[in-house]
């Protein structure tokens, strides 16, 4: 997503990316209060959902295809995967574009998007470690089929990684709208809420009834719901390569869209003297 640089400059890029990862990790560890609040914000909805499902199932209501224990396990996994795929870097990208901070990166032999990705990953490493442990615990102690689910761990991790990539690229595309719009904060939050709902981050997609057939054609299912479906053994083993392949396809699609928006937006940025 950046112009060609000399060979010596390209050789320096990996070290710059590693430095960005380290910087992101350092900032994450410095903001312990934010980290703790993020953890609590992921745990609090579980209490709400526990009482919600307990009340509904006690009154004879249920989610199609989900027993009471399955609904609780889904809630736990959705909270974990939701935190793993959560972004936040889009505000930084938006500020760089709006306030001209992007210019200082363009005169350096580094790829801006690669640095943002590295910084994003570095800042998420502590959360990845904790949520990864919780994911493993949920799979290990999630009932009689726990041993079978642990065998699916490699596929679950691959699906989570691809889900992170899809969500990252979606918000990268949204952040690039700042090349043309002055204020995109409301757009960020609106899209975030929509993705959480449509990806199964709050309730299973089965709640949507026939509409879930449409949702299966959209990219959002492959951010949160797909990894959970694999973890809960709701995807046939023979169908796993196809599901992961569809996730990879969405990564490629949004990668191309982001690349095109970057190239067009960068010309606009440079033309206006940003």
């Amino acid at each position: 997503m950046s112009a060609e640089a000399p060979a010596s400059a390209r050789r320096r890029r990996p070290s710059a990316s590693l430095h960005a990862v380290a910087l992101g990790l350092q900032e994450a560890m410095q903001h312990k209060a934010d980290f703790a609040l993020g953890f609590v914000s992921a745990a609090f909805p579980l209490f709400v959902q526990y009482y919600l499902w307990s009340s509904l199932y006690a009154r004879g209501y249920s989610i199609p295809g989900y027993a009471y224990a399955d609904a609780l396990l889904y809630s736990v996994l959705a909270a974990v995967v939701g935190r793993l795929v959560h972004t936040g870097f889009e505000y930084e990208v938006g500020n760089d574009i709006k306030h001209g901070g992007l210019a200082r990166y363009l005169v350096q032999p580094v790829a801006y998007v690669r640095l943002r990705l590295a910084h994003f990953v570095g800042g998420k490493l502590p959360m990845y470690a904790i949520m990864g442990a919780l994911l493993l615990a949920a799979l290990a102690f999630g009932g009689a089929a726990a041993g079978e689910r642990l065998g699916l761990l490699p596929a679950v991790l691959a699906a989570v990684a691809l889900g992170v990539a899809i969500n990252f690229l979606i918000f990268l595309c949204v952040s690039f709208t700042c090349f043309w719009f002055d204020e995109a904060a409301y757009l960020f939050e609106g899209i975030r809420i929509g993705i959480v709902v449509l990806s199964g981050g709050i309730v299973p997609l089965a709640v949507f009834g026939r509409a879930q057939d449409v949702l299966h054609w959209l990219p959002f299912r492959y951010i949160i719901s797909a990894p959970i479906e694999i973890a809960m053994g709701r995807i046939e083993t023979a169908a796993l390569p196809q599901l992961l392949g569809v996730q990879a396809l969405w990564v490629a699609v949004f990668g191309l869209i982001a690349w095109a928006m970057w190239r067009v937006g960068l010309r606009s940025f440079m033309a206006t003297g940003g």
Side-chain angles (χ1 to χ4, degrees), residues 34-92:
D34 291 342
F35 178 78
L37 288 174
F39 186 76
V40 171
S41 67
F44 179 75
L46 291 178
F47 293 100
V48 177
Q49 289 180 306
Y50 170 76
Y51 289 108
L52 173 64
W53 297 134
S54 298
S55 177
L56 290 176
Y57 275 81
R59 288 169 170 77
Y61 298 98
S62 63
I63 302 173
Y66 286 80
Y68 173 66
D70 293 332
L72 293 182
L73 178 59
Y74 185 97
S75 298
V76 172
L77 293 175
V80 172
V81 177
R83 292 308 302 177
L84 289 173
V85 304
H86 182 75
T87 58
F89 71 92
E90 58 274 9
Y91 293 96
E92 299 173 358

Side-chain angles (χ1 to χ4, degrees), residues 121-177:
V121 172
K124 299 280 285 187
L125 284 178
M127 185 65 73
Y128 286 158
I130 293 178
M131 290 299 172
L134 290 177
L135 176 62
L136 182 61
L139 294 177
F141 301 103
E148 185 177 320
R149 283 197 292 268
L150 282 174
L152 296 171
L153 185 59
V156 173
L157 294 178
V160 169
L162 289 168
V164 171
I166 294 172
N167 207 39
F168 176 89
L169 288 168
I170 287 177
F171 278 96
L172 185 64
C173 292
V174 176
S175 67
F176 285 164
T177 61

